[in-house]
């Protein structure tokens, strides 16, 4: 069945600004299908972003949206969720926005377990500003600021989220387009801080510096390296070399922050009489 | 009975010529015409919807 994406897009906003083959468009389509599958109401849904190519996403979607400053999406989203707990609040952005400049907000939102879904489009680079390396640029990869190869080891965003206390963590790729929707549906349904990392493609600033001749090669690479959690159970550590786990990686139940904070408000009101 | 063909619409205002539809259509329905994708083999379409799903630019619709 053909899907009518444009009913969720602000009139006149397409074509979007992303480059040919940029995976952000594929991810946005997955998010729109997830919103549709969940029957999310436009006036009860807030999508918040920081700065970057990925962070342009909320500008296209017809719901309550907020385009904030670099790295601060989670802080603004926390404010919205605290003031209006009945709203469904989502954060979206890139790896630079989320785990470089925004890394501190990110880990503390995980720790608090506030009921927000965070969609991170990880293209391993700062796309918008011309391809500087990010905390997820693989060791040895080239960026405008690492012309001889990146000496740093990268963050594993999913592991970082689990370690910091997020209660739902999943990973997909821009190649596995159907799965993006499924992971987001589960993440949005989950009560607590949920993180969905989508391995993405930036052919313009990452691909061309790193010997991907086309976006098709980048997509095929995502297909090759992804191993589902189920398939990985039957694979040895040697077979997992160079692969990344995809699917729902972690799920837990812990007290949710807005509810816990409500208890503080009630205790304070009791005390004040 | 004659086979009913789906309609494959490519919005030329949205297409950015990334080749994704050309490469990932299992029956090679598309080809590039300059910088824009076009439908070459409509008869070969098996309505798997892969092209509509994967196009990053919202440019393809496959209608029954
Ligand atoms: C405070 C501040 N510092 C730096 C910048 C410049 N800047 C804009 S976008 C960006 C990085 C974007 O990378 P990412 O979040 O990975 O998104 P992408 O563009 O790759 O989708 C940077 C460093 C800024 N806008 N504000
Ligand atoms: S620079 Fe990279 S991330 Fe930004 S729109 Fe282009 S391909 Fe996408
Ligand atoms: S996938 Fe979409 S944008 Fe890319 S060539 Fe095909 S129609 Fe054009
Ligand atoms: S629906 Fe499937 S077979 Fe038909 S054009 Fe699209 S990708 Fe090709």
């Amino acid at each position: 069945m053909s899907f009518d994406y444009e009913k969720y897009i602000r009139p006149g906003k397409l074509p979007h600004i992303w480059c040919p083959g940029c995976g952000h468009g594929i991810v946005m389509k997955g998010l729109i299908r997830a919103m549709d599958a969940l029957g999310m109401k436009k006036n009860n849904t807030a999508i918040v972003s920081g700065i970057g190519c990925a962070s342009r996403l909320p500008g296209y979607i017809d719901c309550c949206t907020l385009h904030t400053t670099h790295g601060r999406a989670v802080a603004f989203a926390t404010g919205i969720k605290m003031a209006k707990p009945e709203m469904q609040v989502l954060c979206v952005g890139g790896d630079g926005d989320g785990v470089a400049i925004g890394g501190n907000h990110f880990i503390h939102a995980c720790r608090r377990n506030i009921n927000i879904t965070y969609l991170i489009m990880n293209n391993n680079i700062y796309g918008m500003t011309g391809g500087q390396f990010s905390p997820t640029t693989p060791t040895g990869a080239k960026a405008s600021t690492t012309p001889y190869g990146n000496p740093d080891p990268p963050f594993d965003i999913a592991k970082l989220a689990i370690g910091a206390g997020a209660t739902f963590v999943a990973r997909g790729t821009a190649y596995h387009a159907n799965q993006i929707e499924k992971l987001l549906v589960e993440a949005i349904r989950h009560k607590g801080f949920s993180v969905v990392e989508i391995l993405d493609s930036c052919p313009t600033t990452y691909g061309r510096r790193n010997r991907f001749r086309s976006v098709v090669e980048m997509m095929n690479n995502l297909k090759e390296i992804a191993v589902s959690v189920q398939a990985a159970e039957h694979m040895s550590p040697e077979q997992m070399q160079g692969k990344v786990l995809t699917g729902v990686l972690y799920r837990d139940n812990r007290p949710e922050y807005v509810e816990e904070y409500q208890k503080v408000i009630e205790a304070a009101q009791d005390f004040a009489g | 009975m004659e086979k009913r063909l789906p309609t494959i619409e490519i919005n030329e205002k949205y297409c950015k010529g990334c080749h994704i539809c050309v490469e990932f259509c299992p029956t090679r329905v598309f080809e590039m015409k300059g910088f824009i994708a076009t439908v070459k083999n409509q008869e070969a379409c098996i309505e798997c919807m892969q092209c509509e799903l994967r196009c990053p630019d919202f440019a393809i619709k496959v209608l029954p």
Side-chain angles (χ1 to χ4, degrees), chain B residues 21 49 56 58:
Chain B
C21 56
M49 310 307 283
F58 299 74

Side-chain angles (χ1 to χ4, degrees), chain A residues 50-66:
Chain A
I51 299 292
C53 297
S55 292
R56 297 293 295 259
L57 187 151
Y60 298 107
I61 301 194
D62 190 13
C63 67
C64 306
T65 61
L66 191 60

Side-chain angles (χ1 to χ4, degrees), chain B residues 10 14-21 32 37 55-57 59-60:
Chain B
I10 298 181
Y14 293 177
C15 173
K16 293 184 188 141
C18 69
H19 288 241
I20 284 179
C21 56
M32 296 304 292
C55 171
D57 283 277
I60 305 183

